[in-house]
Amino acid sequence: MAVTTIDPRTALIVVDLQKSLMAAPTIHPMQGVVKQSRLLADAFRKRRLPVVLVNAGGAAPGRNEMPPRPVDRPADWNEIVPEMNRQPEDILVTKRTWGAFNHTGLDESLKKLGVTQVVICGVATSIGVESTARSAHELGYNVTLAIDAMSDPNADCYANSVMRVFPKLGETGTTQEIIRLLEGAGG
């Protein structure tokens, strides 16, 4: 369903726009994803709505078939990219699973702020973004996904998320559509 409304207490959740992922191969250039995410963040900040910046601080325990991650990462590997213009009032969430809600306190933080809707963007569409959207939906938030402010390493995975999964979790729209609705919400 195309994005139709923005609740008065909506938060923006930006997933994994961190230094280590800027050179990752994705189907949409990362600089474009960052640019669109920054436009959203600026619009939310202008209206004094919560901006949540999520980074990955490790991985969940358990076996998988992926090669091990390098141990010798640079010290700043999981810092939010400077282009996101992190502000003191932004909420920083460090996750150790794919989604931003599991074991992070994000749900409690948003509920204390009276948030009823989340707009989600970032990378990877089929992993961090989708996992965060699934949890938000299950927790009762209205979910909107900014499809031009996200990317994925795999075109088929991106398409599956955008065309098959996201319509079941909420509404989708472009950055500009979301900002227009945000401006019309009286914020």
Side-chain angles (χ1 to χ4, degrees), residues 134-158:
R134 285 174 184 262
S135 292
H137 175 54
E138 290 170 355
L139 290 166
Y141 294 95
N142 294 316
V143 176
T144 299
L145 295 125
I147 58 173
D148 64 341
M150 61 179 70
S151 193
D152 199 275
N154 183 296
D156 291 337
C157 291
Y158 174 86

Side-chain angles (χ1 to χ4, degrees), residues 6-11 47-50 113-118 141:
I6 299 292
D7 294 354
R9 290 303 299 164
T10 298
R47 287 155 189 82
R48 299 190 190 286
L49 292 172
L113 296 171
V115 171
T116 58
Q117 181 175 5
V118 293
Y141 294 95

Side-chain angles (χ1 to χ4, degrees), residues 63-122:
R63 291 185 296 270
N64 61 51
E65 295 181 7
M66 297 298 295
R69 294 185 179 185
V71 178
D72 57 343
R73 295 177 176 152
D76 65 350
W77 72 277
N78 71 339
E79 286 182 14
I80 302 297
V81 295
E83 296 89 341
M84 285 307 301
N85 191 30
R86 183 176 170 198
Q87 297 296 303
E89 65 272 10
D90 292 345
I91 300 167
L92 179 65
V93 171
T94 299
K95 64 185 179 71
R96 287 174 174 71
T97 61
W98 284 3
F101 284 96
N102 195 16
H103 304 295
T104 65
L106 177 57
D107 182 42
E108 293 81 7
S109 295
L110 295 180
K111 287 203 166 113
K112 283 180 188 174
L113 296 171
V115 171
T116 58
Q117 181 175 5
V118 293
V119 172
I120 307 172
C121 60

